[in-house]
C-alpha cells in the first residue's frame, strides 16, 4: 500500500473534477480524497496499490471532459490510510 499526493492545476474547479476523481478512484480500489484549494487547484490524496495509483495518475492528467489540466505535481507521502475515498 502506497500513498501519493497530487496537486492538479488548470481549469479543474467547477467541472466535476472531484466527483469524477472519486468515481475513478473507487473503480481502482483507491482510498483518499479530492479537495478544492483556495488557489483554484485540486488536491488529491490517493492510497492504494502502486499500479492503481499509476493508472489514476494517468487519468488525472486529463480529468473529466470539461476540465483543462495544465499540470500535475505528485509526491509520495506517508499518512494514515483513509477507509474510503471522499470529496471535500
Amino acid at each position: 500500500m502506497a500513498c501519493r499526493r497530487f496537486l492538479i492545476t488548470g481549469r479543474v474547479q467547477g467541472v466535476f473534477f472531484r466527483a469524477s476523481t472519486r468515481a475513478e478512484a473507487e473503480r481502482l480500489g483507491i482510498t483518499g480524497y479530492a479537495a478544492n484549494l483556495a488557489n483554484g487547484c485540486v488536491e488529491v490524496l490517493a492510497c492504494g496499490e502502486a499500479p492503481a495509483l499509476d493508472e489514476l495518475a494517468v487519468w488525472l492528467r486529463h480529468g473529466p471532459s470539461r476540465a483543462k489540466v495544465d499540470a500535475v505535481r505528485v509526491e509520495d507521502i506517508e499518512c494514515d490510510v483513509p477507509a474510503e475515498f471522499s470529496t471535500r
Side-chain angles (χ1 to χ4, degrees), residues 18-72:
R18 291 177 302 146
S20 298
T21 300
R22 180 180 179 176
E24 187 67 11
E26 289 174 345
R27 182 184 76 77
L28 294 168
I30 292 171
T31 63
Y33 65 80
N36 284 340
L37 300 181
N39 66 0
C41 298
V42 170
E43 176 187 41
V44 174
L45 171 71
C47 300
E49 298 300 324
L53 294 176
D54 293 342
E55 193 171 336
L56 180 66
V58 170
W59 185 89
L60 289 172
R61 285 172 172 53
H62 304 284
S65 62
R66 293 177 54 198
K68 182 186 177 300
V69 175
D70 292 336
V72 177

Side-chain angles (χ1 to χ4, degrees), residues 61-85:
R61 285 172 172 53
H62 304 284
S65 62
R66 293 177 54 198
K68 182 186 177 300
V69 175
D70 292 336
V72 177
R73 289 189 0 222
V74 61
E75 63 181 324
D76 291 324
I77 63 169
E78 291 190 22
C79 67
D80 293 330
V81 177
E84 60 186 27
F85 198 93

